[in-house]
Amino acid sequence: MKALVANGPGGPEVLKLADIPKPSPGSGEILVRVCACALNPVDTKIRAGYLSDSRVYPTVYGYDVSGVVESAGEGVEGFAPGDEVFYYADLSRQGAYAEYHAVRASIVHKKPTGLTHVQAAALPLAGTTAWQGLFEMAKLAFGETVLIYGAAGGVGSMAVQMAAWAGANVIAVCSGANAERVARLGANHVIDYQKASVPEAVMEITGGAGADVALETIGGDVFFESFKSIKPFGRLVFLNAFAGDAPATLFNAARLKNLSIFFELARPDLRALDFVATLAERGFIKPQVESVISMENVAEGHRRLETRHGWGKIVVEISRRKYFRH
């Protein structure tokens, strides 16, 4: 089968299209014929060496999948060949920039009805991350104010829609180029970080109170900045890496405001995926797809992700006509 293979960590150039053996589903697994696989920032980090100590090379990346069940391994119930499915795969295992992917059946969900495979592939990781951060960790409630950084990105665009569905007052942070798009997703207020101080703007919007919850998707210095935008006893969900060492003074400032800080690394979660599928089927959230590319262009897609200036998701469409053998 065709797959994008890397023989070791490195830049986007390590991704090479190659023929590799088609996997077979083990006990408790299903074999999925991959129709689409979305790119995520975590793909670029793993490709560059994150988690490389536990990875066997040559390796395949790609963890946001929509496809069709090809076959099922021993002990699998609830799935049959021809079922359309979507899922967020284990980061530590072989990924799905490939024609076929073997995955644990316990983390796979039926594809939301009414969505194409490209749309469905844009949902699992971003939707799971947004759901876990907002509702399982921060316990966002109706009427609360939530500040969402990186609101035009994959996770951010999902979080804006979910928070709006939950009846929160949504303050979104993005570039001016994406402001109108983010407002259409349901944000009550949009702050252009290129033109305004985010903490000052949040305080103006909230009458000096600050946000109840902040979802911080950018990392670096933005993490430190976000402390200033949250009210006492607020909750911060943090998804990325610090810029250097986190100064103790900032954590002391968080302590003085009695902030709760959650550090999230999204995990495959069938319950969260069920919520994502239900919201999508009922039209409360819609996949945001910036572009659809082929496997030959995944390296360029990684470069685009690393600029951190895109919106929505980049999705790899695995063309049956071009790759699949019958």
Side-chain angles (χ1 to χ4, degrees), residues 159-246:
V160 169
Q161 295 178 80
M162 289 182 181
W165 162 79
N169 176 39
V170 182
I171 303 175
V173 181
C174 64
S175 68
N178 290 317
E180 184 177 343
R181 182 179 290 113
V182 168
R184 289 199 300 267
L185 296 179
N188 302 94
H189 308 274
V190 181
I191 300 171
D192 180 354
Y193 69 87
Q194 296 171 324
K195 294 183 178 180
S197 162
V198 173
E200 290 178 7
V202 170
M203 290 303 167
E204 182 177 351
I205 291 168
T206 62
D212 297 284
V213 173
L215 183 70
E216 205 288 89
T217 70
I218 305 300
D221 292 334
V222 176
F223 170 71
F224 306 138
E225 176 188 281
S226 64
F227 281 70
K228 304 174 185 178
S229 302
I230 309 176
K231 64 174 58 173
F233 296 95
R235 292 94 75 198
L236 167 64
V237 180
F238 179 65
L239 304 181
N240 261 299
F242 301 122
D245 294 330

Side-chain angles (χ1 to χ4, degrees), residues 28-195:
E29 294 183 336
I30 58 176
L31 181 65
V32 174
R33 182 169 40 115
V34 180
C35 294
C37 183
L39 308 188
N40 290 284
V42 73
D43 298 19
T44 68
K45 295 173 184 177
I46 293 174
R47 184 214 70 226
Y50 176 60
L51 299 177
S52 62
D53 289 346
S54 60
R55 185 166 296 277
V56 176
Y57 294 95
T59 194
V60 179
Y61 307 116
Y63 308 98
D64 246 350
V65 185
S66 184
V68 178
V69 174
E70 181 81 2
S71 60
E74 182 180 353
V76 172
E77 298 180 355
F79 293 101
D83 286 346
E84 295 186 313
V85 296
F86 82 139
Y87 55 94
Y88 161 35
D90 294 315
L91 299 181
S92 60
R93 299 183 59 179
Q94 290 281 52
Y97 295 160
E99 293 181 293
Y100 294 93
H101 185 238
V103 60
R104 289 186 291 123
S106 60
I107 62 172
V108 176
H109 194 284
K110 298 291 178 65
K111 181 177 73 66
T113 57
L115 298 188
T116 67
H117 285 291
V118 165
Q119 292 171 322
L123 285 176
L125 194 152
T128 294
T129 303
W131 182 270
Q132 290 173 347
L134 290 176
F135 302 113
E136 294 185 0
M137 294 182 173
K139 308 296 184 186
L140 180 67
F142 179 87
E144 288 192 310
T145 296
V146 58
L147 173 64
I148 299 172
Y149 286 88
V155 174
S157 61
M158 282 290 107
V160 169
Q161 295 178 80
M162 289 182 181
W165 162 79
N169 176 39
V170 182
I171 303 175
V173 181
C174 64
S175 68
N178 290 317
E180 184 177 343
R181 182 179 290 113
V182 168
R184 289 199 300 267
L185 296 179
N188 302 94
H189 308 274
V190 181
I191 300 171
D192 180 354
Y193 69 87
Q194 296 171 324
K195 294 183 178 180

